[in-house]
Amino acid sequence: MIRRSVPLSLLYSTTGAYAALGRDAVDGALAAVAEVNNNSSYSFHFEPRVDDPAGSAERYAELAEVAIRQRGCRHIVGAITSWSRKEVLPVVERHGALLWYAFPHEGYETSDSVIYLGACPNQHLLPLFGYIMPRYGRRPFIVGSNYIWGWEIGRIAREITEAAGGEVLAERFVPLGSEEVDHLIAEIRQKRPDFILSNLVGRSAHAFIRAYAQLREEDAEFSAERRPFVACNLSELDLADLSPQAKAGHIVTNIYLDRLETEENQRFKARLAARRGDDRPVTGPFVFAYMAVSVLAQAIADAGTDDPNLIRKLVTQRQFDTPIGPISFDPRTHYAGLRPFIGRSDSEGGFEIFETENPVVEADPYLVRSVFPGKPGGHAPKTGLKVVK
């Protein structure tokens, strides 16, 4: 049987400010491509093309245009930051293509041209604050990369905190990729918050964790037990190459962690280890890019075509098997229902999972149905929530 070719764009920055995330995502996507291409039961094979925008949001749009118009790609798996996603969005909308977005984000967006696999705030930030505030206090210090993700997650965190009767002591931003964080550490030392919420990305997150570990060594008041570093976009990648002391004690919400002990994940990791020849930790960026390609392949097989309109319709009508278990997508928003986990990092840079949201949390990208932790009456405010373009 002659298998038809399906061109596929993999659009991730493998160089630049958040290169480690991009490299892992590409590896995950290509792992899924290899599985599909080596499986003769599929009537097609993927012809992947990896493009590196090098962290430039504008380059994402340019390369997406080339992939669609010159290479015939109807599906783009890619974009890491919300900034880059919003650059690609008008391109796929204009050409009738489909973007598969697989990273945590701030929500407040829906598009018929996007399948959202990554978690939105009611699936990451709300569970995180629901765990943290009763145990550590309601006086966070917020640090973030200076773009949409940092702004919006900081804004929602402020609303959660104030709704619970707390106070954000400060909200500070650094340029995307900047490693100049000493001024943040100095202010944290002076203000002594109950916890630090990090919305930093890539090199900035790595630099801050290293600097905060130094503060913990110098001042016992900043131990992980008293004033933890918390995040909803942190993975094992961000802790690589740090000292054992710097790796330990950070609290995260995540949808995938390497030590997830489910049958689906154990089978997936065993299959992956056999192919790679080792048992390296598997990260969220790897798994979610893998999932994007895998779900797309299952949908193409069922539909008998890669037509984006038919694929979008099919994706929102059935469940798909993935390393995190079966997932389905809301037909109104195209967001995945996901199960968040709370984990704490150890000196090896892995995360021990100690709390699970059960059952699956359906996405609420505009926070119209969500319950804010500690808020009288429970629900998110009806005013003040906005979309940042």
Side-chain angles (χ1 to χ4, degrees):
M1 178 181 69
I2 298 176
R3 301 169 70 190
R4 61 191 175 89
S5 175
V6 175
L8 178 65
S9 170
L10 304 181
L11 189 58
Y12 286 113
S13 288
T14 54
T15 58
Y18 43 90
L21 300 175
R23 288 193 294 267
D24 229 41
V26 167
D27 286 348
L30 289 176
V33 166
E35 284 191 358
V36 171
N37 290 355
N38 291 329
N39 187 341
S40 60
S41 68
Y42 284 106
S43 63
F44 63 92
H45 68 273
F46 283 125
E47 185 179 339
R49 174 61 183 260
V50 180
D51 287 311
D52 174 19
S56 167
E58 294 78 7
R59 286 286 290 157
Y60 275 90
E62 295 170 5
L63 292 170
E65 189 85 27
V66 169
I68 295 169
R69 296 189 64 182
Q70 297 183 18
R71 302 191 192 117
C73 297
R74 305 167 92 177
H75 297 274
I76 296 175
V77 175
I80 294 175
T81 67
S82 295
W83 188 3
S84 58
R85 184 188 73 249
K86 288 185 180 294
E87 291 291 327
V88 174
L89 185 55
V91 178
V92 292
E93 288 179 339
R94 184 165 62 250
H95 295 293
L98 202 55
L99 171 65
W100 297 73
Y101 185 69
F103 274 78
H105 57 104
E106 72 289 340
Y108 293 93
E109 173 188 293
T110 58
S111 171
D112 286 344
S113 298
V114 183
I115 301 296
Y116 300 90
L117 289 95
C120 62
N122 78 300
Q123 297 167 317
H124 56 62
L125 187 63
L126 268 62
L128 180 64
F129 269 51
Y131 177 84
I132 291 293
M133 289 197 299
R135 293 166 174 80
Y136 294 94
R138 301 176 179 180
R139 299 167 58 253
F141 189 107
I142 302 174
V143 296
S145 294
N146 191 26
Y147 77 104
I148 298 167
W149 163 264
W151 306 334
E152 286 295 273
I153 297 302
R155 177 183 63 79
I156 299 167
R158 181 180 294 275
E159 292 190 356
I160 296 171
T161 301
E162 292 176 353
E167 176 190 7
V168 173
L169 298 188
E171 186 176 359
R172 301 289 181 256
F173 300 96
V174 299
L176 186 61
S178 172
E179 299 182 59
E180 296 182 9
V181 298
D182 289 348
H183 62 295
L184 302 176
I185 298 298
E187 189 174 3
I188 289 168
R189 185 195 294 268
Q190 186 267 322
K191 292 187 172 176
R192 296 184 179 275
D194 293 330
F195 63 94
I196 294 87
L197 170 66
S198 168
N199 302 317
L200 297 167
V201 175
R203 289 199 300 250
S204 300
H206 193 271
F208 184 89
I209 294 169
R210 186 171 58 244
Y212 191 59
Q214 182 64 39
L215 175 59
R216 291 194 314 192
E217 290 183 14
E218 296 170 358
D219 189 338
E221 282 285 312
F222 291 91
S223 69
E225 292 74 24
R226 297 198 61 177
R227 305 180 198 277
F229 172 99
V230 309
C232 45
N233 65 332
L234 195 73
S235 76
E236 294 87 349
L237 281 175
D238 297 293
L239 303 181
D241 303 321
L242 293 171
S243 69
Q245 294 78 14
K247 291 177 178 178
H250 312 306
I251 299 174
V252 301
T253 326
N254 219 316
I255 305 301
Y256 179 87
L257 293 167
D258 176 68
R259 296 176 185 171
L260 179 60
E261 294 184 358
T262 62
E263 290 184 9
E264 294 93 344
N265 189 43
Q266 296 307 312
R267 288 197 300 268
F268 170 71
K269 289 178 63 178
R271 192 167 69 245
L272 193 62
R275 185 165 60 248
R276 296 199 298 190
D278 59 38
D279 56 354
R280 283 174 286 166
V282 183
T283 70
F286 183 104
V287 167
F288 273 84
Y290 171 95
M291 284 168 50
V293 175
S294 176
V295 170
L296 172 59
Q298 293 176 60
I300 293 173
D302 283 357
T305 175
D306 68 335
D307 178 270
N309 290 321
L310 294 177
I311 293 299
R312 178 176 57 248
K313 183 178 180 180
L314 191 147
V315 162
T316 58
Q317 291 179 337
R318 56 158 285 192
Q319 282 191 331
F320 294 87
D321 295 328
T322 77
I324 63 171
I327 66 169
S328 58
F329 297 84
D330 188 326
R332 298 166 300 171
T333 64
H334 310 139
Y335 280 65
L338 300 168
R339 188 157 60 115
F341 303 95
I342 307 289
R344 186 191 304 271
S345 63
D346 60 21
S347 60
E348 296 178 355
F351 291 91
E352 292 298 328
I353 297 171
F354 55 85
E355 186 158 310
T356 303
E357 288 283 340
N358 198 13
V360 164
V361 176
E362 297 302 327
D364 180 18
Y366 293 96
L367 292 179
V368 294
R369 304 184 305 275
S370 297
V371 174
F372 272 21
K375 178 180 170 57
H379 294 285
K382 298 297 184 183
T383 60
L385 299 178
K386 60 185 184 299
V387 182
V388 175
K389 295 295 187 183

